[in-house]
Amino acid sequence: MRSDKMKKGFERAGNRSLLKASGFTDEEISRPIIGIANSWNEIVPGHTHLREIASAVKDGIRMAGATPMEFQTIGICDGIAMGHEGMKFSLPSREIIADSVEIMASAHPFDGLVLIPNCDKIVPGMLMAALRLNIPSILFSGGPMLAGNLRGKDIDLITVFEAVGKMSSGKMKNSELSELEESACPTCGSCAGMFTANSMNCIAEALGLAPFGNGTIPAVMSIRKRLAKKVGMRIVELIKKDIKPRQIATIEAFKNAITVEMALGSSTNTVLHLPAIAHEAGIKLELDIFDKTSRKTPNLCRLSPAGPAHMEDLDRAGGILAVMKELSKKKLLNLKLSAVEGKIETRVKNAENLDTKVIRPINKPYYKEGGIAILKGNLAPDGAVIKRSAVNEKVWTFSGKAKVFNCEEEAMKSIMANKIKKGDVLIIRYEGPKGGPGMREMLSPTSAIAGKGLGESVALITDGRFSGGTRGLAIGHVSPEAAEGGTIAYVKNGDTIDISIPKRQISLKVSSSELAKRKKEIKILSHQIKSPFLKRYSHLTTSADKGAILKSSPR
């Protein structure tokens, strides 16, 4: 066993003595030792209940004859960090989470790992660690929040963010906003729509590293605790059979995950995280694979923010297995692969789509193409990302005049002061991985735009990124970013910008000679970075089209 390094033989008497100081008996020490990476904290609503999940996992491990040892990781709530300097730390925290799991599982050589995340950067961070360490591992999240309900209408966190725009436009009273605030997030769990956390938790199922139900069973359901116990038992089986993450998460498994992602209409953040996760397994995922997959994958689901359904509805409809069942009807998946629960083919074969209003049949999709599109052009030579399933088809082709801002705060002031008009294209730059640094999400600006009734008449383009809850013409991950001298750094107020989602194009209508002239005249801005951590991150991170991985990554 891997854990023998720290416990076996007379040479390890001191090590065993320290384990006994923590209360472990000789019998417990002799068994397989399984690390439980738990991201519980009292801040993130998706994480406040993770002690209960971890407790159930540990019960399952003990029932199967092994010994659990729990440790913690950090975890940021993107919603609470939204709209201020705190968001600069969210994406970089992904690397810290991966590193911390690696450190704990290397300093204390566990025989296997159960990874318990729930929210945005914690899920990919833990998956990165699993593939980096390559010891038997299962990811099991805390599950989604239930949708809120106010006066008979389902609501969620995005309803509240968009209400801020309505307030500033005089379309809503303060008392109404307070009602929303009280009702939108009624339980613990990751926010109720197909936002980043739930997108990644669902994709982890399709990738094969999480049990089916991981992404959709609501946090408050008792079945999640029962599944947690089964996860605890299953990790012991994986250790006995020596089944490791890289045997499961092959290039074919990543293709399955991207296909499911497109059918779901997942968050654009998945295009950042999947390449970073694959990188740890020595697999290169280019942006083109996302667009190629999108073009051949029907969009079957329209969950919030793209539509009225929420994660609890997807779960009742049959969850990710039901989505995979529909996709399998057109042979869009490789079902011969294995997952932590065994053969995927058997599980998909027995799945059933229980609600065709939530999961459209494969022959009656919402759209013939997937939920995410990759746009390219002189404004984004290396690519940009849009959640096309959350954009009204009427504005898939759009042209407007640029209004340029060098940070999110500048743009928000202009939006809230009603200075943004129909036909405008907001450019928010110097928010990329290096330039931000940290690549902040722009949910506050996009929600304010939607709340003011401009969601279908204004575009927002940024080298930053967007929350999975963003809807409308929101184009992010523009690469190269402004801080690296990308074209977005040279856009001026009044420039015409053309967008075509069907043609996958994003163009700055400025001649090459004029652009060359601007590159000589305009100086690239450099924000003063006060945080020592963010200084290091800015120096080491790569561009968004590469997954914002660190140059110092082990592969």
Side-chain angles (χ1 to χ4, degrees), residues 3 12 15 53 65 68 109 123 150 210 245 305 327 365 373 389 412 416 458:
S3 61
R12 297 291 176 259
N15 305 53
I53 298 296
V123 180
L150 183 61
L327 292 169
S389 59
M412 272 301 289
M416 299 304 280
V458 167

Side-chain angles (χ1 to χ4, degrees), residues 121-295:
K121 307 310 158 300
I122 302 94
V123 180
M126 287 192 175
L127 288 172
M128 288 165 67
L131 286 167
R132 185 185 301 176
L133 288 160
N134 201 34
I135 61 176
S137 302
I138 300 177
L139 181 135
F140 187 62
S141 78
M145 182 185 292
L146 294 178
N149 190 281
L150 183 61
R151 302 180 190 279
K153 182 180 179 181
D154 285 346
I155 58 175
D156 56 40
L157 178 66
I158 304 309
T159 317
V160 185
F161 270 97
E162 292 186 358
V164 173
K166 292 180 180 180
M167 272 287 294
S168 69
S169 299
K171 298 178 182 178
M172 179 175 279
K173 297 176 182 178
N174 192 59
S175 59
E176 293 174 308
L177 181 60
S178 294
E179 273 192 304
L180 278 176
E181 186 180 321
E182 290 286 338
S183 307
C185 301
T187 72
C188 61
S190 49
C191 296
M194 188 52 75
F195 312 144
T196 303
N198 294 327
S199 295
M200 288 305 307
N201 279 320
C202 289
I203 287 170
E205 294 183 40
L207 187 59
L209 294 177
F212 289 107
N214 172 72
T216 60
I217 297 171
V220 295
M221 302 292 282
S222 295
I223 190 174
R224 181 163 284 277
K225 289 183 183 178
R226 299 200 297 274
L227 184 54
K229 292 177 182 178
K230 291 179 181 179
V231 165
M233 291 185 279
R234 183 60 185 166
I235 188 62
V236 180
E237 286 298 310
L238 294 186
I239 291 168
K240 289 177 180 177
K241 296 176 181 178
D242 197 29
I243 297 173
K244 299 174 181 176
R246 289 187 211 164
Q247 294 170 250
I248 295 169
T250 62
I251 182 62
E252 290 301 314
F254 276 99
K255 288 178 180 178
N256 275 358
I258 295 170
T259 300
V260 170
E261 169 190 22
M262 296 304 167
L264 290 172
S266 297
S267 164
T268 52
N269 280 319
T270 58
V271 181
L272 273 178
H273 298 321
L274 282 174
I277 295 164
H279 174 77
E280 298 293 347
I283 296 170
K284 192 172 185 179
L285 289 185
E286 302 278 4
L287 278 185
D288 288 346
I289 194 172
F290 290 89
D291 202 58
K292 182 180 178 181
T293 305
S294 180
R295 288 182 181 276

Side-chain angles (χ1 to χ4, degrees), residues 1 36 70 77 99 113 116 135 153-154 220 234 272 307 316 334 341 349-350 359 379 399 455 480 487 515 529 546:
M1 291 189 292
I36 310 293
E70 184 180 353
C77 177
D99 290 348
L113 280 172
I116 306 177
I135 61 176
K153 182 180 179 181
D154 285 346
V220 295
R234 183 60 185 166
L272 273 178
R316 283 195 293 265
N334 183 341
E341 290 183 306
K349 182 181 179 180
N350 295 325
I359 305 170
L379 187 56
S399 183
T487 306
L515 195 55
I529 306 172
K546 301 293 190 298

Side-chain angles (χ1 to χ4, degrees), residues 86-98:
M87 181 51 75
K88 291 178 182 287
F89 291 85
S90 178
L91 181 59
S93 74
R94 183 186 73 181
E95 316 306 318
I96 300 297
I97 292 160

